[in-house]
PDB file of all heavy atoms in Angstrom:
ATOM      1  N   PRO A 294     -35.178 -41.591 -38.600  1.00  0.00           N
ATOM      2  CA  PRO A 294     -35.802 -41.142 -37.352  1.00  0.00           C
ATOM      3  C   PRO A 294     -34.982 -40.102 -36.580  1.00  0.00           C
ATOM      4  O   PRO A 294     -35.498 -39.147 -36.021  1.00  0.00           O
ATOM      5  CB  PRO A 294     -35.986 -42.442 -36.536  1.00  0.00           C
ATOM      6  CG  PRO A 294     -35.892 -43.544 -37.528  1.00  0.00           C
ATOM      7  CD  PRO A 294     -34.978 -43.066 -38.658  1.00  0.00           C
ATOM      8  N   LEU A 295     -33.689 -40.329 -36.620  1.00  0.00           N
ATOM      9  CA  LEU A 295     -32.851 -39.323 -35.921  1.00  0.00           C
ATOM     10  C   LEU A 295     -32.892 -37.970 -36.553  1.00  0.00           C
ATOM     11  O   LEU A 295     -32.886 -36.942 -35.891  1.00  0.00           O
ATOM     12  CB  LEU A 295     -31.357 -39.842 -35.890  1.00  0.00           C
ATOM     13  CG  LEU A 295     -30.394 -39.000 -35.180  1.00  0.00           C
ATOM     14  CD1 LEU A 295     -30.748 -38.902 -33.697  1.00  0.00           C
ATOM     15  CD2 LEU A 295     -28.968 -39.589 -35.293  1.00  0.00           C
ATOM     16  N   ALA A 296     -33.059 -37.968 -37.914  1.00  0.00           N
ATOM     17  CA  ALA A 296     -33.239 -36.701 -38.581  1.00  0.00           C
ATOM     18  C   ALA A 296     -34.492 -35.937 -38.162  1.00  0.00           C
ATOM     19  O   ALA A 296     -34.492 -34.753 -37.968  1.00  0.00           O
ATOM     20  CB  ALA A 296     -33.156 -36.906 -40.086  1.00  0.00           C
ATOM     21  N   SER A 297     -35.601 -36.752 -38.034  1.00  0.00           N
ATOM     22  CA  SER A 297     -36.866 -36.128 -37.604  1.00  0.00           C
ATOM     23  C   SER A 297     -36.643 -35.584 -36.166  1.00  0.00           C
ATOM     24  O   SER A 297     -37.132 -34.481 -35.828  1.00  0.00           O
ATOM     25  CB  SER A 297     -37.968 -37.147 -37.644  1.00  0.00           C
ATOM     26  OG  SER A 297     -37.727 -38.246 -36.788  1.00  0.00           O
ATOM     27  N   VAL A 298     -35.975 -36.407 -35.292  1.00  0.00           N
ATOM     28  CA  VAL A 298     -35.740 -35.901 -33.936  1.00  0.00           C
ATOM     29  C   VAL A 298     -34.911 -34.678 -33.958  1.00  0.00           C
ATOM     30  O   VAL A 298     -35.172 -33.692 -33.201  1.00  0.00           O
ATOM     31  CB  VAL A 298     -35.050 -37.061 -33.138  1.00  0.00           C
ATOM     32  CG1 VAL A 298     -34.633 -36.531 -31.766  1.00  0.00           C
ATOM     33  CG2 VAL A 298     -36.011 -38.210 -32.984  1.00  0.00           C
ATOM     34  N   VAL A 299     -33.899 -34.634 -34.841  1.00  0.00           N
ATOM     35  CA  VAL A 299     -33.055 -33.448 -34.906  1.00  0.00           C
ATOM     36  C   VAL A 299     -33.873 -32.218 -35.316  1.00  0.00           C
ATOM     37  O   VAL A 299     -33.675 -31.098 -34.854  1.00  0.00           O
ATOM     38  CB  VAL A 299     -31.877 -33.695 -35.895  1.00  0.00           C
ATOM     39  CG1 VAL A 299     -31.138 -32.428 -36.169  1.00  0.00           C
ATOM     40  CG2 VAL A 299     -30.905 -34.709 -35.258  1.00  0.00           C
ATOM     41  N   SER A 300     -34.777 -32.448 -36.319  1.00  0.00           N
ATOM     42  CA  SER A 300     -35.603 -31.313 -36.747  1.00  0.00           C
ATOM     43  C   SER A 300     -36.482 -30.822 -35.608  1.00  0.00           C
ATOM     44  O   SER A 300     -36.645 -29.613 -35.429  1.00  0.00           O
ATOM     45  CB  SER A 300     -36.480 -31.788 -37.962  1.00  0.00           C
ATOM     46  OG  SER A 300     -37.328 -32.851 -37.575  1.00  0.00           O
ATOM     47  N   ASP A 301     -37.063 -31.833 -34.837  1.00  0.00           N
ATOM     48  CA  ASP A 301     -37.886 -31.446 -33.699  1.00  0.00           C
ATOM     49  C   ASP A 301     -37.008 -30.663 -32.659  1.00  0.00           C
ATOM     50  O   ASP A 301     -37.426 -29.635 -32.108  1.00  0.00           O
ATOM     51  CB  ASP A 301     -38.509 -32.684 -33.016  1.00  0.00           C
ATOM     52  CG  ASP A 301     -39.480 -33.380 -33.946  1.00  0.00           C
ATOM     53  OD1 ASP A 301     -39.950 -32.655 -34.875  1.00  0.00           O
ATOM     54  OD2 ASP A 301     -39.712 -34.579 -33.780  1.00  0.00           O
ATOM     55  N   VAL A 302     -35.795 -31.204 -32.421  1.00  0.00           N
ATOM     56  CA  VAL A 302     -34.911 -30.518 -31.495  1.00  0.00           C
ATOM     57  C   VAL A 302     -34.562 -29.110 -32.013  1.00  0.00           C
ATOM     58  O   VAL A 302     -34.451 -28.156 -31.234  1.00  0.00           O
ATOM     59  CB  VAL A 302     -33.652 -31.358 -31.233  1.00  0.00           C
ATOM     60  CG1 VAL A 302     -32.602 -30.586 -30.449  1.00  0.00           C
ATOM     61  CG2 VAL A 302     -34.004 -32.635 -30.541  1.00  0.00           C
ATOM     62  N   SER A 303     -34.401 -29.000 -33.317  1.00  0.00           N
ATOM     63  CA  SER A 303     -34.066 -27.689 -33.895  1.00  0.00           C
ATOM     64  C   SER A 303     -35.235 -26.738 -33.652  1.00  0.00           C
ATOM     65  O   SER A 303     -35.025 -25.576 -33.300  1.00  0.00           O
ATOM     66  CB  SER A 303     -33.782 -27.795 -35.396  1.00  0.00           C
ATOM     67  OG  SER A 303     -32.673 -28.696 -35.613  1.00  0.00           O
ATOM     68  N   GLY A 304     -36.444 -27.221 -33.883  1.00  0.00           N
ATOM     69  CA  GLY A 304     -37.626 -26.343 -33.601  1.00  0.00           C
ATOM     70  C   GLY A 304     -37.686 -25.959 -32.160  1.00  0.00           C
ATOM     71  O   GLY A 304     -37.946 -24.836 -31.822  1.00  0.00           O
ATOM     72  N   ALA A 305     -37.450 -26.965 -31.243  1.00  0.00           N
ATOM     73  CA  ALA A 305     -37.408 -26.638 -29.823  1.00  0.00           C
ATOM     74  C   ALA A 305     -36.366 -25.658 -29.491  1.00  0.00           C
ATOM     75  O   ALA A 305     -36.518 -24.742 -28.688  1.00  0.00           O
ATOM     76  CB  ALA A 305     -37.282 -27.931 -29.025  1.00  0.00           C
ATOM     77  N   ALA A 306     -35.189 -25.836 -30.162  1.00  0.00           N
ATOM     78  CA  ALA A 306     -34.070 -24.904 -29.847  1.00  0.00           C
ATOM     79  C   ALA A 306     -34.415 -23.471 -30.351  1.00  0.00           C
ATOM     80  O   ALA A 306     -34.131 -22.495 -29.650  1.00  0.00           O
ATOM     81  CB  ALA A 306     -32.809 -25.367 -30.633  1.00  0.00           C
ATOM     82  N   GLU A 307     -35.138 -23.436 -31.507  1.00  0.00           N
ATOM     83  CA  GLU A 307     -35.581 -22.088 -31.925  1.00  0.00           C
ATOM     84  C   GLU A 307     -36.556 -21.469 -30.956  1.00  0.00           C
ATOM     85  O   GLU A 307     -36.501 -20.254 -30.651  1.00  0.00           O
ATOM     86  CB  GLU A 307     -36.171 -22.199 -33.338  1.00  0.00           C
ATOM     87  CG  GLU A 307     -35.182 -22.571 -34.464  1.00  0.00           C
ATOM     88  CD  GLU A 307     -35.849 -22.723 -35.803  1.00  0.00           C
ATOM     89  OE1 GLU A 307     -37.089 -22.639 -35.813  1.00  0.00           O
ATOM     90  OE2 GLU A 307     -35.136 -22.957 -36.789  1.00  0.00           O
TER      91      GLU A 307
END
Side-chain angles (χ1 to χ4, degrees):
L295 183 61
S297 61
V298 173
V299 170
S300 62
D301 295 339
V302 171
S303 300
E307 293 177 356

